[in-house]
Amino acid sequence: MLSCDRGRLSRVGGLVAIPDGPIRLRLDVDGDRLGFAFGSAAEGPLTAWSSFLDAGILSDDHAAEERDGVPQLWGFTGAFLGLWAQDLTEGRAFVDVDSATYRER
């Protein structure tokens, strides 16, 4: 998992083995903590990622920067929930999303 904070990219946790074939992903938002889990598409328990991410960086207060009272970075328009994938192998791999569900707890 990768995280980007003010343009600085960092790896979060270690590498994990993703099962072959269709998978399920889950994002849990608990206050300022983001937790992730994954597993095979078949029903069953999901494996939690080893690390949590700080949701506090998803705000204008964190993203905006000033130097001597002059804005350097304006931040952004807010946090959005969405699906995104990137092929870091340059092998032109793709993601085919069958469905997405949002549930408030």
Side-chain angles (χ1 to χ4, degrees), residues 49-78:
W49 225 287
S50 61
S51 302
F52 288 90
L53 291 179
D54 178 11
I57 70 170
L58 302 176
S59 69
D60 276 339
D61 292 337
H62 179 82
E65 286 186 12
E66 289 186 8
R67 286 194 197 106
D68 299 322
V70 178
Q72 303 297 308
L73 296 173
W74 289 100
F76 57 96
T77 58

Side-chain angles (χ1 to χ4, degrees), residues 3 6 11 14 57 62 66 90-91:
S3 176
R6 292 186 176 142
R11 182 176 292 176
I57 70 170
H62 179 82
E66 289 186 8
E90 298 181 13

